[in-house]
Every structure is written in C-alpha cells, then in structure tokens.
Amino acid sequence: MKKQAVGQSMDRVDGRLKVTGTARYFADHQPEGMLYAALVCSPVSSGRITAIDAAKALRAPGVADVVSHLNAPPVPGYKADNPNPKQGLKIFYDDRIYSNGQPVAIVVANTLERAVHAASLVKVTYAQEVHKTDMDENMGQAFQHKNMKDYLRGEADAWKKAPVHLEAEYNIPIEVHNPMELAGIIAHWETPDQLTVYAKTQGVKSVQQTLKTLFQLPESQITVHSRFVGGAFGMGLRIWPMEVATILAAKKIRKPVKLVITRKDMFTLVGYRPAARQRIGIGATTDGKLTGITHEAVANTSPYEDFTEAIVNMSRMMYACPNVNTRYQLVPLNLSTPVWMRGPGEATGAFALESAIDELAHQLKMDPLQLRILNHADTDPEKHLPYSSKYLKEAYEMGAAKIGWQQRSQTPGQLQENGWLVGYGMSSGVFSAGRGRATASATLKADGTLVIRSAAADIGPGTATAMVQIAADATGIDAKKIEFLLGESAYPEAPRQGGSSTVSTVGSAVNDVCRSLQQKLGEMASAGIPAFKGVKAENIQHEDGQLVAGNTRLDYAALLQLQQLPELTVTTTSQAGDERKHYAMYSFSVHFTKVHVHPATGVVRIKHIVSVADSGTVVNTKTARSQMIGGVVGGIGMALTEEALIDHRYGRYVNNNYADYHVPVNADTPPTDVLFINKKDPVINPMGAKGMGEIALIGFAAAVSNAVFNATGKRVRDLPITPDKLI
Ligand code: MOS
C-alpha cells in the first residue's frame, strides 16, 4: 500500500502559480472592451443627497458615464414596499446617506486615471443630519436582536455571592479587514440578461444566489469566477453594495466594468470587526471551583442592517460552571455594516472571558493554567452532550512544556531580561467544528488522471492541496495525478469558505465522490471485464488506484481503456447525519506567549509564541502550520496594534491607510511554535478533521494581555495594548 497522503507536509499544488504571478486574481482579468470605475463617496455621515452635478465629469476625456440614484437601472430585487427599514443598503436607490464613505456615484472611463480624475469633478451637495458614531455616547440605544436571546443556566449573577469574585469591562475597538488584495469586482453583461462577474469572494455560489435575487435572473444566466483570492478572512462572505454599483454601471453602459476600491475605502465598504463593550462577572470558591459567570456584550451595527455574531457563546460552554448567564445587544451607529472577521465574535468574547479567568486566578493566588484545568468541562455544559473529541488537557500540557511555563512567576513584575520586564501568559480558544453540505464531481480520465470539481473557495489556506491529499487516500491514485478545481459557480454546489469548515465539508464530499467513483468502476468491471466475471462489485477491492479480486488486478485507467471510455464522471453530495444530536463538536486551541515589556517606554515585544491546536486529523502539516501562524499574526494585531479611529465630529476614520492603521509586520512576529494534537475525531467526518482557521486567533489577544499583566502588574482591558496604556 502507498504511504498516506493525508498528514503529509505536501507543497501547495498552486504554490508555483502564486509565486510566479501566473495565478489570476479577480482584477487580473480583462474582458474585451473593459472600462474602469471609480467611486464618489459621501463625506457626510448622515443626511440626504440634495443634488448631483455630473456635467463636468461627463465632459472629461474618456468618461463613459456617471451612475447614481438619479439614473441607475432599477434593481428588481429591491422591494420598495418592504416595511423593514433594516433590509440592507440598497445602493443608488434613494437620496439617503447612512454613513461616511457611502458610495453615491460611480464614474466609468476608459482608463483608471481618467475615472479617478472624473470622480473628483462630480459635485454632490448634501443636507446633513446629526450622526452618531460614538459607541460610548450611544450605549443608551442598545437593543436586543430577536435572534440573540438571553441565556441562563442555573442562577443569574451567581458570581456575586462567590467568596472570590470580580467584575470588569473589556473593550475592543473596530478592526478593519486589510488583506493585501483590495476588494472589487469586474461586471460584464454579455447580453442584457446574461451576467458574468469576476469576484473576490469566499463563495461563488453565494454570490450567484445574491445576484439571482437582486436581478431576478435564473442561475444559468449568472456566472461567477473567483479562482484565486488574495486574503479575505470574512469580508468575502457576502456581496457588498459597491459590487452591485459596478454591476449597475456595467448594465447601463453595456460594457464590462472593473472596480478595485482604494485602501481608504476598505475601511467603509467591506465590513469590519465591530467595536464591543463587554462586562464579565466571575466568581469561584476559595479553592478555585467556578460558581458563576455573567457575560454581557454590546457591539455596534449599522443603521440599515443588524449584524450579529457569537460574542458571548464561549462563556456558556468553555468551563464546568453551574451558573451562567449571558446577554448580547447591538447599538446602531452611522457606520457601514460590520461583518465576520477571523475568529469572529468568539475572538471578541474570548478576550473578555480568558482575561477574566486570568484575573480570577491572580485573586485566588493560583496558576491560571491550574485554574483552567480545575474547571475543565468533561462534557459540554451547555448542550449536555459528550464531546466527539477533546484533547484540551493534553494541549495545555504540550504548550506549557514548550513555552517553559514553569519559569513564570505567580507574582507579577518579578522577572527581567536585559532591562525588560518578562511575563508569561496563556489563554484557551474554542470554535464550533462544523460540517455543512457540499457536492463534488470526480472525472477519471483514460490516461489515469483524476479531476475533482466543487464550487468551493480558497482565500489562502491551501484548499486544493488538502482536497488532493484526501482524494489521493480515498482512491489510491498518486496525488500528482489528481487536480482539484474550485472557484467557479458552474461547478457542483459548495458553501462559502468560512467558519473553519471547508476541509470538513468539502473534504467529505471529495472523499465520498471518490468512493462513488470506485463503486461505479467496480460495477463496470463486474459487468463488463472477463477477468472479474462472477465477482460481485461489492467484493472487488480497491488498492493503489487498481481494482483487485484475488490475484486479478486492473488499473482504473486500463478499465476505461477497455471500455473505450475517454472519461467517467460521477457526482456526489455529502452532508452530516444526526451526529450533532449525540455529540458536541468543537476545535480547541491553547495559546502561550512570553513577552518583554520595556519599563520606561511601555513597548511590548512578544518574544515567543506557542500555539497548540486540537483540531482532529491534520490533513497537511505544512499548510496547517501556516494557517495557525496566520491566525496568530492576526491575534498580534488585535492585541497590540489594530484600531480603527473615528473622528466623531465628522464620523470619519482618521487612520484609514496602512501607515496609520498598524497591522503586524515581520518585526512584530516572534518565533512561533505550532503544535498539533493531531488525533482523529471519530465522529465529525471521514477524515476526522475538525476546523482550524478560527481557533488560530481565538483567545490569542488574552494570552498577550495576560502576559503583559504578568510582566508589569498592569491589567489592560482595552485593546490594543499600546505603550501609552502601560506607562
Ligand atoms: Mo471566516 S470570519 O468564517 O471568513
């Protein structure tokens, strides 16, 4: 038998394409006759458009048109009589301004430079109204979304009665999606009712469905291409108003139109991690048994949509605690709508909970690792179900050994190295291990190669590589002969790449379609190949890409040749059964950090990171390690550098560029050890792989703030931990 492909450190199948510039991202496409777009965006944060004077722009060289609510083609899917005011931003629909940076017109010209210049010539006048962008000033507007009910287990606010308890507030600012690749779209109406788009998306089928609803066209008349995506982390989980604006411009002008937004507009047009104010009350017995947790969160949303995520959920299920209550509310602000951003709400909530656990451990004079182990949940305390797999205690142990946790001093401010204060911190992370429904097709060719297709996405984790490995093991065909194709709406249905579930969901479909292919080949051999005559299909074995019965062996390719078939395609849909009724399924992570804090300047340098993932079978050790490091780097940003700042006089971002909005760079990123439990989950899917994308980040910020406290004795509860907060 061949060596297993799953578990190997295989190079990315598309790595060469990416590093040689051969991979084509959405903006690299060039439909014939394509024009270029630039947006005109509102400088006011609330009000109405009173006039748009486009005359000067229209006279500028090369300009094809200026499209706004005054002249945009109608969108049949916008319902004028929908009584719900929160139905999303209907772009170019009316004169209403909800937030600063809202697109009010799109200018199309024959070069990008001409479009940008002409956009500067469009004169828009506004009737300004009072805007609300300050979260703290508008906490009174908080309301509870109908999907986000209060949770209570046992007694509410039981922490107050505990002999050891504390209450604290933990705040995070808005963090903005800033992948290197800018957002945008190319829209091309091939006929008045045949639309093709090149998108930057985490789900081609999802984009197709949205456009189907908006333009009321059948799926067959909407084609979405998105093979390569230069980072997305959640911003590509939905379609944005500026994409619809581009599609409307292309429809009106009857030419393909490309829009690539500016870095500045990334702050206002593609969502962000919402700001959150969180309050935790936590209490324990004097020997450290948790008796109560209360977790309340308020996050911002936009005036025209309610964005909700799972901010308080971790507090319900992470620890064995008899009394837990949570509440989650939203405050609408004159900002664009937030969206999931890696780890999403769980990362926000984990900062609060895992900081509070550390604070409680300090009060108890107990090692925070010991406190976590003492309150380890052996079964899911929220769902009252056993875990499909959970190796969190092993993860704690592995990580502690690797970082040198025994060197940590229980009393803060005790350790120094070269004049810097030294601290150790840790946190746990958890995220639901999902499995959705996906379809894949497998085409075996007479030359022995196998092509698998599914409308999945790849925003960078190495999806195709993992799928090839899964298919190689399922079929016994050499990985080099297998190709996995994704990112086309014409391929069999797959969900968006999000929620850490692609390997689980699409990988299962790949596994299952390979099994179907083998079954089909067995039936063909049994029915039509003399050497297998009399052998029932189900008694034919499969080994190394061959059909085997006793001493008879036949290559899959040879079977097709004997049958005079150039190729054979099978298609299979795969989804979970009712396992979730019987098991709680989660991935877990543990993050350890060692930090230096400069006593005079307050500069924090992370010196060493150890992150341990309990995510089931690791399909590819190389891409999985990269995935974990990517999440950790995002976590460094959350902990130390990232913060979108608004000047509330104008409701406008003031650091909307890479120079002033600090994403971590190599110099901020220390040596990172990624450790895997790498034990198969026996329930979730055929591979036993749980998700990894979110747990890479969830909890990380607390591991840094806890280490900073251990170094300095100062507890920073407002992210990011900038030097001014430590001196
Ligand atoms: Mo992720 S926040 O599910 O793209």
Side-chain angles (χ1 to χ4, degrees), residues 177 202 232-237 273 309 339-345 431 459 496-501 693-694:
H177 280 292
Q202 292 171 243
F233 315 111
M235 58 166 276
L237 288 169
R273 191 193 299 284
E309 54 184 356
V339 77
W340 301 279
M341 181 163 159
R342 199 170 188 174
F431 195 79
I459 56 175
R496 299 170 294 177
Q497 178 157 65
S500 305
S501 58
E694 325 291 335

Side-chain angles (χ1 to χ4, degrees), residues 7 66 71 97 148 170 231 266 294 313 323 355 391 410 451 463 476 495 573 575 595 617 653 698:
V66 176
N71 62 357
I97 299 296
M148 296 287 139
Y170 304 89
M266 293 290 283
T294 297
N313 299 37
N323 306 298
S355 295
Y391 298 99
Q410 175 65 28
V451 181
T463 305
T573 298
Q575 63 190 323
V595 304
T617 300
Y653 289 105
I698 294 169

Side-chain angles (χ1 to χ4, degrees), residues 28 30 86 92 128 256 463:
D28 296 327
Q30 189 82 25
K86 297 227 167 182
F92 301 163
Q128 209 170 330
T463 305

Side-chain angles (χ1 to χ4, degrees), residues 2 5 10 13 448-450 468-469 472 477-483:
K2 282 208 184 76
M10 198 171 116
V13 293
T449 58
L450 176 65
V468 164
Q469 289 173 276
I477 296 173
D478 195 285
K480 289 194 183 67
K481 291 186 176 174
I482 304 174
E483 189 176 17

Side-chain angles (χ1 to χ4, degrees), residues 286-584:
T286 49
D287 54 2
K289 283 300 263 184
L290 287 174
T291 55
I293 301 173
T294 297
H295 187 169
E296 295 183 349
V298 182
N300 83 275
T301 189
S302 72
Y304 52 86
E305 269 168 310
D306 291 338
F307 172 75
T308 59
E309 54 184 356
I311 294 185
V312 294
N313 299 37
M314 181 176 175
S315 294
R316 300 173 186 168
M317 53 66 61
M318 188 63 198
Y319 296 105
C321 178
N323 306 298
V324 177
N325 55 307
T326 68
R327 169 169 290 183
Y328 170 36
Q329 294 179 296
L330 297 179
V331 169
L333 297 177
N334 288 106
L335 297 172
S336 61
T337 305
V339 77
W340 301 279
M341 181 163 159
R342 199 170 188 174
E346 288 84 343
T348 303
F351 168 63
L353 177 66
E354 290 296 292
S355 295
I357 288 279
D358 198 76
E359 298 204 43
L360 184 68
H362 181 69
Q363 276 197 25
L364 286 159
K365 299 189 169 42
M366 189 184 255
D367 180 331
L369 175 55
Q370 287 315 312
L371 179 62
R372 287 177 172 89
I373 292 169
L374 185 65
N375 292 286
H376 179 269
D378 298 327
T379 57
D380 185 323
E382 182 186 11
K383 298 194 177 89
H384 307 291
L385 290 173
Y387 294 103
S388 58
S389 64
K390 181 177 184 180
Y391 298 99
L392 182 60
K393 284 184 182 169
E394 287 88 329
Y396 285 144
E397 229 172 83
M398 277 168 77
K402 190 79 183 175
I403 197 88
W405 187 251
Q406 78 287 350
Q407 291 163 49
R408 174 184 179 273
S409 158
Q410 175 65 28
T411 311
Q414 298 297 300
L415 303 179
Q416 288 209 11
E417 282 173 10
N418 308 318
W420 293 68
L421 296 164
V422 178
Y424 291 85
M426 65 156 302
S427 71
S428 329
V430 62
F431 195 79
S432 174
R435 175 175 173 188
R437 182 183 139 104
T439 306
S441 70
T443 302
L444 179 70
K445 299 192 173 166
D447 64 2
T449 58
L450 176 65
V451 181
I452 299 177
R453 292 179 175 85
S454 185
D458 182 56
I459 56 175
T463 305
T465 314
M467 296 306 145
V468 164
Q469 289 173 276
I470 291 167
D473 285 353
T475 57
I477 296 173
D478 195 285
K480 289 194 183 67
K481 291 186 176 174
I482 304 174
E483 189 176 17
F484 180 81
L485 298 176
L486 52 69
E488 293 289 344
S489 60
Y491 292 166
E493 178 121 23
R496 299 170 294 177
Q497 178 157 65
S500 305
S501 58
T502 299
V503 165
S504 180
T505 301
V506 183
S508 297
V510 167
N511 177 78
D512 292 359
V513 79
C514 290
R515 297 278 171 246
S516 305
L517 177 69
Q518 288 177 324
Q519 192 185 333
K520 181 85 188 163
L521 291 166
E523 285 163 12
M524 281 170 55
S526 169
I529 303 297
F532 290 88
K533 209 174 161 64
V535 186
K536 285 188 186 149
E538 60 266 31
N539 294 333
I540 295 176
Q541 307 296 309
H542 294 267
E543 221 178 276
D544 297 347
Q546 294 181 320
L547 301 133
V548 183
N551 292 327
T552 309
R553 286 178 165 267
L554 183 65
D555 278 339
Y556 294 159
L559 173 62
L560 292 199
Q561 288 157 18
L562 287 171
Q563 298 279 2
Q564 300 191 327
L565 283 174
E567 59 180 49
L568 171 70
T569 298
V570 297
T571 302
T572 300
T573 298
S574 176
Q575 63 190 323
D578 63 357
E579 305 88 8
R580 234 159 267 273
K581 283 191 195 140
H582 309 293
Y583 295 98

